[in-house]
Each structure stands twice: as structure tokens, then as C-alpha cells.
Amino acid sequence: MNDKQVIASRIALELKDGDLVNLGIGIPTLVANYVPENKKVIFQSENGIIGLGPDKGEDNYIVNAGGLKASIIQGGAFIDSATSFTFIRGGHIDVTVLGALEVDQEGSIASWIIPGKLVPGMGGAMDLVTGAKKVIIAMRHTNKGRVKILKKCRLPLTAFNQANLFVTEMAVMEVKEDGLHLLEVNPKYTVKEVIEATEAELIISEVMPMKGVEDEN
Amino acid sequence: MTNFIDELKFKKLLKDGMKIHVGGFLTNGSPENLIDLVVESGIKDLTIICNDGGYEGNGVGKMIDNNQVSKLIASHIGTNPNVGRLMNEDKLVVELVPQGTLVERIRAFGAGLGGILTPTGLNTIVAEGKQIIKVKDKEYLLEEALGADLALIGGAIADNFGNLKYLQTMRNFNSMMATAAEVVVVEPIKIIEEIDPENVITPHPFVDYVLVGEPNE
């Protein structure tokens, strides 16, 4: 498995039977590929689908939140954007998985703007991290060697203190009241290597091997 | 009452400086023919409200490419490099709004509300200059209602009365924008005799004009 696959397959283990889940663009989209068939997870897409399915090459007007062709599963529904964000902001989404440029030990997320450089906009991300019951951040541990998991985000925030779990190719970390806990480490790396690649203060008690990747190593 | 009009009559509705809602999500459900007619008309100094900046040569991107837009209010501009370029050259003002906030501001205007209270954007630069209101010990941002002079609606099937229903994911911002402008114009995918009243999404009193012409398949 490559880094992206490690992250996506680990996050898939967090999804429970019956969960309504919104996946962001990029690595988060891959999570859908790793949900076992015996688990019924419903995907919501903020442009207006309950029950998002993959592109089946059909001639239709269905796109996902990235504007790419998609399908709808049996029992699904098409909704308008206001209803879509009633789901999102109103606390009716169980899990959202999003990428980030930076995160910090307080659970804050920065993902939508690098001032003076890149201004893609926040799209639905600010509403998703504010309203979803559980917020999982899927991202590479560092950006070409530069730390991304910080004591305090330096880029403008998407939201303050809203993330619950960070999953990278190196580790799984949970944001709790007392700080950021290191829960699991990919057996390809040592705890020391994870600490060195992380600026945030990691609370370490019992560290487990990262689930879903053990067999590969 | 809904009037059925041709391209010529539509162009007569257009004026410099207009504030225009444009439906669609990454051009899914975008009224492309109406946008082409705005481009042909050459009207200038427009404020465009749309979920996103479209693509180069597609969706609202066509009006932006043609330098007709002085302000864009959107949630995401990353798919159209021209938006970022014009913004950096100070030729285009961009107001980025969280997607859920954007659609709810539009819904509020159509519903006769002054604005909405949302937790989205608290503790971020989106909150700058905005009022924070406490309700039952929880903080919310006051976001003002957002109406327009004209709404351009796509993705719909119209009936002979002017009622609309939308195809698949093309409802997105269209159904809310159809409630929130002085003049509402629809570019239907096709016109049928009558939509089953149980399936009407936008009832005809919201719709001022339906463009009649070549079908936009």
C-alpha cells in the first residue's frame, strides 16, 4: 500500500454500520474503496446527494462535490444545497473526512487559504467541520519534510477546536480535552520518528501498531 | 404569471451593474445559454453570486473571462485560475463565503428574513467585522440575507405553467436562488405539459420568465 492507501484504509475502519458520512476531495475520497461490503455506510455529497455512488459510466446529470461524474445508490435522494447543509450543519452527519494544510494539538484545522499564494476557498469545509459529529483529518504527516501537525495552526483557520482524529501515513492521533494523544504508529516507523515529524506536543501512553496496515509490513 | 420569452426579450432585461444569482454547482445545473446571452450583451460591472467560479470557458467563468464581473461572491474559486489571477491583479473582488452560509443567506432573503445565525466561521477570518450573537449561551455569527436583481436558473424541467422540477444533482443552488431575486429567469432542459403537483420543487409564482429556444441537452 502507498501512503494514501494506508491513510484511507485506516480511516475506513472508523466508519460504523449505518453511518452517514461526507468525504472530502483527495485522499478522503479513497476511503469509500476500503469500506467492507458487510458494512452499510451511506455517503452524503454536499452538492445534493444522500447515497452517493461511484461513476458507472451512465449518461446522467449526477456529479459529486468535486464536479466529477457519479451515481446514486438504491434508496438515495437528491436534495437542494440548503437541505444538504441542514444535514451538515444540523448535526445529521456522523463522520466527515477532510484533508488539511495544517492541524494543531487543540483540534484546529487550516485548509482553505495560503494568503498571497493559494486561495481556493472553503467550499463546504467550514460547515462540515462545524456540524459533523466526528471530524477525521486525512493527510500526509509532513509537507515535503515541513511539519503540518503543529502546536498552533499558522495559516488562517477553517475551524477552531473541531477535529477529533488525525490519520496520516505514519500515525493515528486523537484530540482530547487534555491534548493530542498518539494512539497508533505505522510499523514502518518508530515512535521517535513520529515525534520528530510532529511539532505538536504528543501525549504518549500506550501506542498500538496502526490498524489495517500490520499485515503489509 | 410566468412568461415564456425568447433570447431577444431576455437581453432586454439586462443592465450594467446588476447583481445576479447564477445557479449550478461546478457547472452542474448551470444555465449555460443564459450565461452566453449575458456574455453577448456585453453588460458590465456585474456582481455574480454563484457557488463557485466555474471553469475557464464554462459556467460563470465565461462572464469572468469576458471581464464583465467586478465582484464574485462564491464558496470556492479553485477550479478557475482566471478568478485568482484577476483577483491578484485587483480587477475582481472576491468574497468567499462558506457554502452552507451562502445558500442559507440566499434562502433567508427569499423567505423575507434579515439574515441567519450560524456557528460556521466562528474563530476564523470569516467572522471579521461581523456581529456575534449569543443564544442560550451558544455563539453564532450574524450573516446577512443575500438577494439579487436577477436569478439565472438551470437544471430544470419546466411545465406550461412555469412550474419547475430539477434533474438529479442539478437542483443544488437553483431552487433557492429562484426564490431570492427581483426577476427570475429559467433556462429549461425541456418544457412539458404539466408537472405532477406533488413533484413541483419551484412553484410558478417564483418564476418570471422561461427561456424558449433550442433545448440545452
Side-chain angles (χ1 to χ4, degrees), chain A residues 98-113:
Chain A
L98 293 167
L101 298 164
E102 291 175 354
V103 292
D104 70 29
Q105 63 196 44
E106 295 175 319
S108 294
I109 305 152
S111 65
W112 68 283
I113 180 171

Side-chain angles (χ1 to χ4, degrees), chain A residues 46-47 49 60-63 65-67 78 80-82 85 89 112 119-123 126-127 130 157-158 160, chain B residues 25-26 28 75-78 96-100 118 120 123-126 167-173 175-176 217:
Chain A
E46 65 263 31
N47 58 311
I49 311 176
N60 62 27
Y61 297 103
I62 307 174
V63 300
F78 294 116
D80 62 75
S81 295
F85 282 89
R89 209 191 305 96
W112 68 283
V119 190
M122 67 291 276
M126 275 195 186
D127 299 280
T130 302
L157 295 185
T158 306
F160 170 74
Chain B
F25 188 110
L26 291 173
N28 179 238
S75 76
H76 195 272
I77 57 171
L96 284 165
V97 182
Q99 203 169 101
T118 178
T120 303
N123 304 303
T124 75
I125 55 178
V126 167
L167 292 176
Q168 300 180 315
T169 49
M170 298 196 291
R171 198 181 312 176
N172 51 59
F173 276 69
S175 59
M176 289 303 142
E217 279 293 349

Side-chain angles (χ1 to χ4, degrees), chain A residues 1-214:
Chain A
M1 281 198 272
N2 64 30
D3 288 355
K4 288 179 181 180
Q5 290 166 331
V6 166
I7 296 166
S9 68
R10 176 60 190 87
I11 290 171
L13 297 174
E14 293 295 312
L15 307 182
K16 294 190 196 72
D17 205 37
D19 273 355
L20 181 60
V21 176
N22 184 297
L23 301 177
I25 294 159
I27 301 174
T29 308
L30 303 176
V31 173
N33 301 339
Y34 295 93
V35 179
E37 275 183 28
N38 59 2
K39 222 191 254 181
K40 196 168 176 1
V41 172
I42 309 287
F43 293 103
Q44 191 254 14
S45 188
E46 65 263 31
N47 58 311
I49 311 176
I50 302 296
L52 175 72
D55 177 22
K56 293 174 179 167
E58 289 160 3
D59 189 20
N60 62 27
Y61 297 103
I62 307 174
V63 300
N64 63 21
L68 301 172
K69 281 180 72 63
S71 67
I72 189 161
I73 64 164
Q74 205 179 14
F78 294 116
I79 53 179
D80 62 75
S81 295
T83 308
S84 184
F85 282 89
T86 294
F87 272 99
I88 290 168
R89 209 191 305 96
H92 309 282
I93 301 286
D94 296 298
V95 181
T96 186
V97 184
L98 293 167
L101 298 164
E102 291 175 354
V103 292
D104 70 29
Q105 63 196 44
E106 295 175 319
S108 294
I109 305 152
S111 65
W112 68 283
I113 180 171
I114 304 175
K117 262 191 178 169
L118 183 73
V119 190
M122 67 291 276
M126 275 195 186
D127 299 280
L128 278 160
V129 297
T130 302
K133 287 182 197 152
K134 184 170 183 175
V135 176
I136 301 176
I137 301 299
M139 61 174 203
R140 287 177 195 278
H141 205 96
T142 58
N143 177 15
K144 292 168 195 147
R146 275 185 41 217
V147 284
K148 293 176 75 178
I149 303 170
L150 310 174
K151 287 184 165 53
K152 205 148 183 84
C153 286
R154 297 190 258 274
L155 292 170
L157 295 185
T158 306
F160 170 74
N161 189 18
Q162 292 287 353
N164 303 106
L165 202 69
F166 304 148
V167 179
T168 73
E169 76 282 11
M170 297 182 91
V172 178
M173 291 140 286
E174 188 179 10
V175 183
K176 291 187 183 172
E177 290 255 319
D178 61 341
L180 186 61
H181 290 248
L182 180 63
L183 301 185
E184 299 172 19
V185 171
N186 185 336
K188 258 166 83 176
Y189 304 94
T190 63
V191 172
K192 189 167 168 274
E193 283 174 314
V194 174
I195 294 169
E196 279 168 3
T198 310
E199 183 200 272
E201 205 88 50
L202 290 170
I203 300 171
I204 302 170
S205 43
E206 193 188 4
V207 178
M208 304 293 285
M210 194 162 160
K211 282 182 225 154
V213 295
E214 293 143 292

Side-chain angles (χ1 to χ4, degrees), chain A residues 82, chain B residues 102-113 116 146 176-177 179-180:
Chain B
L102 183 60
V103 72
E104 202 63 16
R105 287 175 64 191
I106 296 164
R107 195 194 67 82
F109 186 89
L113 306 174
I116 58 151
L146 185 58
M176 289 303 142
M177 286 177 165
T179 70

